Amino acid sequence: MKEKISSLKTYFDEIEETNGDDECRAWLDKVFDAKLELATFVAARRGKGRATEYVGFLKGSFNFAFRFKFSDGGPDAIIRFPKPGHTATALRDEKVTNEVQVMEYLRQNTTIPIPYIHSWGLTVDSPHQFGPFIIMDYVEGVLLSKVLKRPTENDQEEMVLDPNIDNAKLNKIYHQIADYLLQLSQLTFTRIGAISKDGDTWSVTKRPLTYNMNELATVAGYPGDRFPTSPFDRASDYLKSVSREHLVHLWTQRNLADDSEIARGRFVARNRFPQLISEHCVDDAGPFILYCDDLRPSNMLVHPDTLQITAVLDFEFTNAMPAQFTYDPPWWLLLSGPELWLDRGSIEEFLALYEPRMEQFLQALEFVEGVSAGGKQNLAAPRLSTRMRDSWSSGRFWFNHAAKKGFEIDVVYWAALHKEGAGIELLDDDTRAELEPFIETKMEQLRAYNKECTARFS
């Protein structure tokens, strides 16, 4: 199976994805028609100055925003909505509520540059019930990913770190982000899930809402009633829930296997994952650390001349999580994740590119830790840089990446977690007995899916 790793790349359900795109386009038409009404709404919620100019719009993978200028001379403001079809309808209010709570908490407890929030509300509070919204200051800057990426001919080319980037430039960026991650590593909770404030006390009160859950809900046909509904008290319980999520995905998404061999490879990978929990789970009883699934250069703004980070954006999938996620070296050091290279069957190429940048980042983190310790800041032992080195050398990095990336678990398992044999022999008798019926089910699903695609797209 290892020689066919690239065939295990997980594709979205094209029908689900198209349905979501259609829903989003119809929604955008209505939002643009209400642009002037939204300007008045933003001005009223902002509470000072009238809206004098529509500046433009901003769009990302999950969110869409209008930018307006105001008569009081203050910063421009944006109103940002999660895009229906790209964020599951059932998750939109929850996503925005969680993000606002996290942004307030981070403004109180870190020096991470967070845009100022003027107002926010749920779907019921928005004009025409367009969806939950956040009204916040617009922050000047360019996307950090654009500053760091290799020059490309067009936006369709894969985004990867410029191999010729100046090391001094990269070090300046790494030192800032290392400082942010060090601060985040010290924000601990007693449970796993979304945080909220009761009086002056912050705690975990709700289930974790993750990046992967939203992907499954929008582009895999995943049943929403199979997601967890409450927080977790132990890391192992959370990881077992994730393993069940991977298995439900395996059985649910109809186009997950093009042939019986691919079906077999995915079956082994996703049934082996829970067997690896005891080996890779650390700090089972906590404390648990605030972790953002999507903290990366694509969600950071930077001054193009000084390289000072001016804002960190998009905290909607931030939760108190197993500490071991925080203990991983950043997966985004090459801008794209390792799956870009694993999908080509080239883990060796990834390692050759990634490890030098990882060492550069860890040296930046060690410098930041030294400055913090010199300032009498109490840093837990072992230090974060030491834990990151251990995560990498032990292979826990790959286990954690598979836990967080439900669309990549199969290729990660066969490239980095599987050790020897066909894998099926490592499963128990009851699980092995499910294999052939599973393959038959996936082939039946695929035939029905292909028939529906032909009718829909031909």
Side-chain angles (χ1 to χ4, degrees):
M1 179 59 68
K2 282 198 171 186
E3 63 275 10
K4 295 197 69 176
I5 286 172
S6 59
S7 66
L8 291 173
K9 177 180 179 180
T10 302
Y11 298 95
F12 293 162
D13 181 320
E14 188 177 353
I15 296 173
E16 294 286 342
E17 188 176 20
T18 301
N19 289 341
D21 289 343
D22 290 346
E23 181 182 2
C24 186
R25 276 192 292 269
W27 177 84
L28 285 171
D29 288 343
K30 295 176 182 177
V31 170
F32 271 102
D33 287 343
K35 188 170 55 181
L36 295 180
E37 182 181 350
L38 286 171
T40 302
F41 177 76
V42 172
R45 285 289 187 127
R46 185 172 174 267
K48 50 184 178 180
R50 59 184 177 80
T52 59
E53 182 183 346
Y54 161 68
V55 182
F57 65 88
L58 309 163
K59 63 178 180 178
S61 298
F62 304 118
N63 302 303
F64 177 87
F66 282 133
R67 175 184 169 190
F68 301 104
K69 193 177 290 294
F70 294 87
S71 60
D72 67 332
D76 294 359
I78 66 170
I79 181 168
R80 199 197 75 180
F81 298 97
K83 297 189 294 187
H86 296 177
T87 299
T89 301
L91 302 179
R92 293 172 77 208
D93 280 352
E94 181 181 2
K95 180 176 94 81
V96 168
T97 301
N98 290 353
E99 183 171 17
V100 169
Q101 297 287 318
V102 165
M103 291 175 71
E104 179 185 350
Y105 179 79
L106 292 177
R107 285 179 65 87
Q108 292 178 7
N109 292 280
T110 74
T111 62
I112 298 171
I114 307 291
Y116 178 76
I117 296 177
H118 293 277
S119 181
W120 71 283
L122 303 178
T123 300
V124 69
D125 305 312
S126 65
H128 304 287
Q129 299 200 348
F130 283 142
F133 61 89
I134 302 176
I135 297 171
M136 53 187 161
D137 282 344
Y138 173 80
V139 179
E140 297 286 349
V142 299
L143 287 177
L144 178 55
S145 54
K146 290 186 177 180
V147 174
L148 300 179
K149 74 173 185 173
R150 179 184 63 197
T152 56
E153 294 290 332
N154 55 65
D155 291 339
Q156 304 306 312
E157 294 184 44
E158 291 142 342
M159 182 174 63
V160 297
L161 182 70
D162 184 353
N164 299 313
I165 192 167
D166 179 72
N167 275 330
K169 179 178 180 179
L170 194 56
N171 278 333
K172 185 164 187 178
I173 296 299
Y174 279 179
H175 278 80
Q176 293 176 77
I177 300 177
D179 178 53
Y180 301 159
L181 294 183
L182 183 61
Q183 292 184 60
L184 288 171
S185 73
Q186 298 171 70
L187 305 177
T188 61
F189 295 84
T190 58
R191 305 175 81 193
I192 293 168
I195 67 169
S196 61
K197 188 178 184 182
D198 183 10
D200 294 328
T201 303
W202 289 92
S203 62
V204 169
T205 56
K206 299 176 292 183
R207 70 174 180 181
L209 177 61
T210 66
Y211 182 101
N212 192 60
M213 287 168 62
N214 186 69
E215 291 285 271
L216 291 173
T218 53
V219 292
Y222 191 98
D225 60 359
R226 300 293 297 273
F227 286 130
T229 57
S230 59
F232 297 85
D233 295 318
R234 304 188 74 84
S236 56
D237 289 338
Y238 175 72
L239 293 170
K240 289 172 185 173
S241 174
V242 167
S243 71
R244 289 191 292 272
E245 199 171 89
H246 289 337
L247 287 168
V248 172
H249 180 204
L250 177 71
W251 286 87
T252 301
Q253 187 174 334
R254 295 182 297 167
N255 65 326
L256 209 55
D258 289 338
D259 57 44
S260 59
E261 185 175 358
I262 293 174
R264 181 184 299 269
R266 296 199 194 282
F267 182 89
V268 170
R270 294 180 187 232
N271 280 285
R272 279 284 290 142
F273 179 84
Q275 295 180 338
L276 302 176
I277 292 175
S278 60
E279 176 184 348
H280 291 292
C281 181
V282 299
D283 294 351
D284 190 25
F288 308 111
I289 300 175
L290 201 65
Y291 177 83
C292 180
D293 262 4
D294 209 22
L295 185 67
R296 57 195 172 106
S298 294
N299 289 326
M300 298 177 186
L301 298 176
V302 65
H303 189 288
D305 299 322
T306 67
L307 298 181
Q308 187 68 33
I309 295 174
T310 57
V312 180
L313 312 170
D314 294 351
F315 289 95
E316 59 257 67
F317 302 116
T318 302
N319 304 276
M321 281 293 195
Q324 64 196 71
F325 290 0
T326 292
Y327 299 160
D328 289 337
W331 59 266
W332 48 258
L333 293 178
L334 300 178
L335 299 188
S336 290
E339 52 273 11
L340 176 64
W341 289 268
L342 300 189
D343 288 344
R344 298 200 294 250
S346 184
I347 189 172
E348 293 79 14
E349 182 184 359
F350 170 75
L351 296 176
L353 294 170
Y354 180 84
E355 288 185 323
R357 296 307 182 188
M358 179 183 70
E359 183 58 35
Q360 186 176 358
F361 179 85
L362 292 178
Q363 289 180 12
L365 177 56
E366 288 167 346
F367 176 85
V368 171
E369 289 170 332
V371 171
S372 298
K376 306 303 185 207
Q377 186 172 343
N378 184 26
L379 297 182
R383 290 188 177 179
L384 181 59
S385 57
T386 301
R387 292 185 181 275
M388 286 187 176
R389 291 185 188 279
D390 176 69
S391 172
W392 184 254
S393 62
S394 68
R396 190 178 303 115
F397 169 91
W398 293 108
F399 173 84
N400 293 337
H401 200 68
K404 292 175 286 187
K405 302 283 188 177
F407 284 86
E408 308 298 339
I409 176 178
D410 310 306
V411 71
V412 170
Y413 172 80
W414 286 104
L417 294 172
H418 184 72
K419 293 177 180 174
E420 58 184 23
I424 190 69
E425 74 281 359
L426 299 172
L427 305 179
D428 60 46
D429 291 344
D430 288 343
T431 303
R432 287 201 300 270
E434 292 180 357
L435 175 59
E436 293 308 321
F438 164 77
I439 291 174
E440 290 180 14
T441 296
K442 296 314 292 182
M443 296 303 99
E444 290 174 4
Q445 288 179 341
L446 183 64
R447 285 190 289 272
Y449 173 83
N450 287 338
K451 183 177 181 180
E452 190 172 336
C453 282
T454 299
R456 176 76 179 270
F457 300 118
S458 61

